[in-house]
Each structure stands twice: as C-alpha cells, then as structure tokens.
Amino acid sequence: MTDEYQFRSPRQHEQSTPVLGDGTRCVHAGLPEPTPGAPFLPGPVFAAPYHLDPRQGPEGSPNGYGRSDNPTRRLLEAAVGELEGGDCRVFASGQAAITGLLLAVLRAGDAVVLPSDGYFPVRAFATDTLAGNGVEVQFAPTVGPYPDLDGVRLVLVETPANPGLDVVDLPALAERVHAAGALLAVDNTTATPLGQRPLDLGADVVVASGTKALTGHSDLLLGYVATRSVDLLSTVTAWRTATGSVPGAFDAWLAHRSLATLDLRLARQTANADALTRLLAARTDVDGLRWPGLPDDPAHPVAVRQLRRMPGVLSFDLGSADRVVRFLDAARLVVAATSFGGLHTTADRRAQWGDDTPPGFVRLSCGVEDTADLIADVGAALDAAG
Ligand SMILES: *Cc1c(COP(=O)(O)O)cnc(C)c1O
C-alpha cells in the first residue's frame, strides 16, 4: 500500500545522524545565510495577499497568498525539518497536524491502528470523525501487543506516550508495519527531535505538537508533520492549503526564536526530572512513578536504545484528587496547568480532563528552575499534602 508514496532515501535505519552537536544545530536551524545589515532571524512577515507581478502572476514570486505561502513559516519549516531529518510542514496546532495527516491519508474502508494510551483528543477524534468517515479504527497499547497488521494502512504510535510514558521499539515496529505494507507515523511530541529521530529509526512520517517542549515557552500553539517522502509531503501540503490550518506569522516567528534554546532547556528539564524521580522513588507516599530514565522503569531498556535524551516529563499517582489539590496548594514552584515541556514546572491531574487515568494520577513537567529549589519545594509540598 505504501508503494503509493515514494521515499527519497531508504526508510529503515538511514544513517543521517547529524555531525554537529544539538546546541549548535538548534542555534543555527533554519537561519538564512548571514547578510550584512540583516537580523539573524528575519522578523515576521505579516501578509494575506502579496504584490504580484502583473505579467507573471503567481509564477513570478514564491509568495502569492498567505494560506499557502509565508516566508516566516518556511524558515521555521526549514529549522524543524533539519532537526527531524526530513521535510516539514507546520500547522496551527498539534491536533491540526495529526488530524490533517490522518484525514489526508485515510479513506473509507482503510484500517488504522492508534495508541490506546496516547493523547486523548486523538483517540476521541478517531472514534468520532474517522470511524464516522468509514475508517476502521483499532487501538493498541504503546508497548503492544499490536494486532495483525494485514490490511492496515497506517499505524500511529506515540513514544514516549503521553501521559503514561511507555516506549515502543521503533525499528522493530517499523519492520512489522512495512512488512504489512502500511505506513508508520510517530508522534514525537514528548521526546522532541533532539530526544528522538523517528525518521532515522524507520518511521515514514513524524507528527508532533510544537506547543510543548519544542517551543517551550507556554505562549503559542503549533504542530508539524515531517517526512522524507516527496509524495506524502505534497499530500499533506495540499491538505493544509485546502483546510487553511496554518499558524500565523507571529507564532511561527516566536516558535523559531524559541528553538534556539531547545538544547539548553531540555538539558535542564532532564536534569530536573532525573533529580525529582530520585526524590519521588525514595518516598513511600508516592505510587506508580514512571520516567523512562529510571533504571527500573519498564520503558528503560528500549528508551536507552532509541532516545537521545530522556524527557523532562514524569508521572506518578498520589492516590486521590484531594491529595493532588493539597500538593499543588502547598507547592510554590509547581503550578497547576495542562500541557508540558515549558520553562515553568507544571503538574496536571489528567482525570479532570476526562482522560481515562486514575483520579490521583499526575503528569509533572519539569521546568528550568534550579534543581535544588525544585527538589526542596516538591519534597516540602508532599510532606504538607500528608
Ligand atoms: C499536546 C499534544 C498533542 C496536541 O497538540 P496541540 O498543539 O495541543 O494541538 C498531540 N499529541 C501529543 C502527544 C500531545 O502531547
């Protein structure tokens, strides 16, 4: 089935691992060649229509109309594409990117496999909209077992999964998916392209929310699709132009500006998650601690093979909604908020959003605060929560 999409290079285990370090790549990603008198990152270009050449019309310039063309957006796409090792299209949000890929690729009668423990709104979209369109929707847990993939057109996995943080072996799964003639899509939101390069690990296409750690300042919504298939990229591009689910110029510029510090932000977030999980693991009043970086976490063996760095997100269970409230009331550096990957440490009781997690289940996202301050604060808040 995937014969329909041509890939510009071998799909499996392509050795495109970058030569330059992550910090260097982030600082330079997508920037134009230095031009005297020009800024490092050109400011946002605000335009709906652009001037056209009266004779050549749209052929005379790369920019005709803002829904399909925007130079600020193209620079961001170059940056994210460099980091993922593919060609990228950005969307107005992660949901716009993921639902866009699913709607652009899947037809009535197709079967799709989605994570049963992944991002809840994607599952809800599948059972409502996709199933309503005549797509056969199947769910599998991130760690498997995966169903028989015969006749399946696309498998979407989220790894590490949000919020459970399970990890699936991507090269092994890619082999199975490709043997069945299906496409493998990987939601790379939690890891970010610095934490995991799914296209190098056998995935055909990456989808992600750029709202989270990628941009990391809790001030914009963004999504993207990245692939090495020219045909799939053009299918996705045509979908985006037809539906108009593009980010605005200012958000695209802010996102690109934020990418420069991704390596630094992730480094502190990971260090904080590492220290915090040690504290939490040593406490008898915290259950179900999950972080792929913990040596005894079930996801650890696969995570150390395929993640380039551990995420700043962890999860645990405080037993009841009340105890979570007491913990958040007592904490000074952990604020109640959904989303994750931002500069500020946040905690989210997922059940309050209708997620199928236990009432005391907390997803905690480490910010870039000083590690010692965060550890002291969380310890004191847990003591106060009783
Ligand atoms: C947040 C999230 C999304 C959706 O992204 P938005 O930018 O909020 O639309 C999709 N997948 C995962 C894993 C997420 O965490």
Side-chain angles (χ1 to χ4, degrees):
M1 260 189 288
T2 48
D3 293 353
E4 182 185 330
Y5 298 112
Q6 298 302 313
F7 288 80
R8 73 159 191 256
S9 48
R11 291 195 296 194
Q12 272 135 333
H13 306 278
E14 176 180 305
Q15 290 311 312
S16 73
T17 309
V19 181
L20 294 170
D22 287 357
T24 312
R25 292 162 59 230
C26 287
V27 166
H28 291 281
L31 295 188
E33 286 301 312
T35 306
F40 293 13
L41 174 64
V45 173
F46 298 106
Y50 302 81
H51 289 297
L52 291 179
D53 181 297
R55 279 161 205 82
Q56 296 184 68
E59 304 306 319
S61 146
N63 301 315
Y65 188 60
R67 186 144 44 76
S68 46
D69 318 314
N70 183 280
T72 310
R73 210 161 65 209
R74 283 197 298 270
L75 290 180
L76 174 62
E77 289 172 345
V80 177
E82 278 175 35
L83 297 180
E84 285 287 4
D87 294 311
C88 169
R89 291 292 176 266
V90 292
F91 283 75
S93 68
Q95 278 296 99
I98 297 165
T99 59
L101 176 75
L102 296 174
L103 287 167
V105 167
L106 299 169
R107 296 282 171 270
D110 285 342
V112 66
V113 178
L114 299 171
S116 59
D117 50 351
Y119 191 60
F120 190 72
V122 171
R123 287 185 269 154
F125 165 81
T127 37
D128 298 346
T129 307
L130 287 183
N133 286 355
V135 173
E136 186 198 324
V137 179
Q138 301 175 30
F139 291 101
T142 298
V143 290
Y146 285 81
D148 180 2
L149 298 177
D150 254 6
V152 167
R153 176 145 178 72
L154 184 137
V155 176
L156 169 69
V157 294
E158 222 181 273
T159 185
N162 168 24
L165 298 174
D166 272 327
V167 173
V168 60
D169 183 333
L170 286 178
L173 183 64
E175 213 170 297
R176 272 196 67 191
V177 170
H178 293 154
L183 289 168
L184 178 61
V186 174
D187 186 327
N188 204 25
T189 302
T190 304
T192 84
L194 292 196
Q196 178 172 259
R197 306 240 309 171
L199 299 177
D200 287 348
L201 297 163
D204 302 301
V205 55
V206 171
V207 291
S209 168
T211 310
K212 317 288 171 52
L214 185 78
T215 61
H217 288 63
S218 308
D219 53 7
L220 60 87
L221 296 177
L222 186 78
Y224 68 88
V225 172
T227 180
R228 291 172 183 162
S229 161
V230 174
D231 315 321
L232 187 53
L233 187 77
S234 79
T235 300
V236 165
T237 309
W239 171 272
R240 189 186 64 175
T241 303
T243 57
S245 45
V246 289
F250 189 62
D251 282 358
W253 179 82
L254 261 186
H256 199 162
R257 179 188 193 272
S258 305
L259 273 187
T261 55
L262 178 59
D263 173 60
L264 295 173
R265 289 184 280 109
L266 292 180
R268 178 61 70 81
Q269 289 171 342
T270 302
N272 281 347
D274 187 33
L276 203 52
T277 49
R278 282 170 214 269
L279 171 93
L280 297 173
R283 293 190 68 112
T284 53
D285 55 354
V286 175
D287 284 330
L289 177 63
R290 290 299 308 270
W291 188 54
L294 277 174
D296 58 353
D297 190 277
H300 189 70
V302 180
V304 290
R305 282 207 306 274
Q306 88 186 18
L307 293 184
R308 301 176 72 239
R309 54 176 87 197
M310 295 297 161
V313 189
L314 51 119
S315 62
F316 52 88
D317 197 327
L318 291 185
S320 72
D322 273 357
R323 191 144 167 263
V324 176
V325 171
R326 293 201 298 277
F327 167 68
L328 289 171
D329 274 346
R332 290 176 305 121
L333 300 180
V334 184
V335 295
T338 192
S339 195
F340 57 90
L343 299 169
H344 310 83
T345 296
T346 60
D348 194 19
R349 194 176 71 77
R350 287 302 304 166
Q352 70 191 334
W353 299 93
D355 222 339
D356 46 6
T357 51
F361 176 91
V362 175
R363 183 186 63 209
L364 191 141
S365 172
C366 294
V368 301
E369 297 88 352
D370 287 278
T371 306
D373 295 339
L374 191 60
I375 298 309
D377 190 55
V378 170
L382 284 172
D383 290 344

